[in-house]
């Protein structure tokens, strides 16, 4: 492939590509969910923690974040962990 054949896509080319737009798949699921409630709840006792997650889960979290609501990734992970820990008897 020559240099002339390789070029960066413009923002509009990427944004309008349905194959690259992961947020289309889950856009309806968040509007009336537990995440909405959690995002509206202020929590002052948070701690930054870094960890690795599987690629498919990362794509879903990123698609939720693209809707513009700050903190949706953290709220999602907190909700999932809280439910798991309650089920397992840690909470």
């Amino acid at each position: 492939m020559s240099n002339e054949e390789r070029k960066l896509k413009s923002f509009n080319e990427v944004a309008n590509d349905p194959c690259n737009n992961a947020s289309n798949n889950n856009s309806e699921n968040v509007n009336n969910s537990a995440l909405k409630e959690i995002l509206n709840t202020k929590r002052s006792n948070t701690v930054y923690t870094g960890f690795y997650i599987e690629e498919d889960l990362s794509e879903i979290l990123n698609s939720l974040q693209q809707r513009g609501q700050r903190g949706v990734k953290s709220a999602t992970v907190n909700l999932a962990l809280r439910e798991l820990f309650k089920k397992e008897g840690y909470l």
Side-chain angles (χ1 to χ4, degrees), residues 77-89:
V77 172
N78 280 308
L79 175 64
L81 289 174
R82 188 165 297 283
E83 291 299 315
L84 173 67
F85 292 156
K86 281 180 184 176
K87 180 180 173 184
E88 295 295 321

Side-chain angles (χ1 to χ4, degrees), residues 21-54:
N21 196 352
S23 65
N24 285 341
N25 296 336
N26 300 313
S27 61
E28 312 84 40
N29 296 342
V30 172
N31 293 335
N32 296 319
S33 68
L35 283 179
K36 191 172 185 179
E37 288 180 38
I38 289 176
L39 287 170
N40 293 328
T41 303
K42 298 289 182 190
R43 297 198 183 260
S44 61
N45 56 347
T46 60
V47 177
Y48 176 78
T49 302
F51 53 89
Y52 291 98
I53 62 171
E54 295 172 5

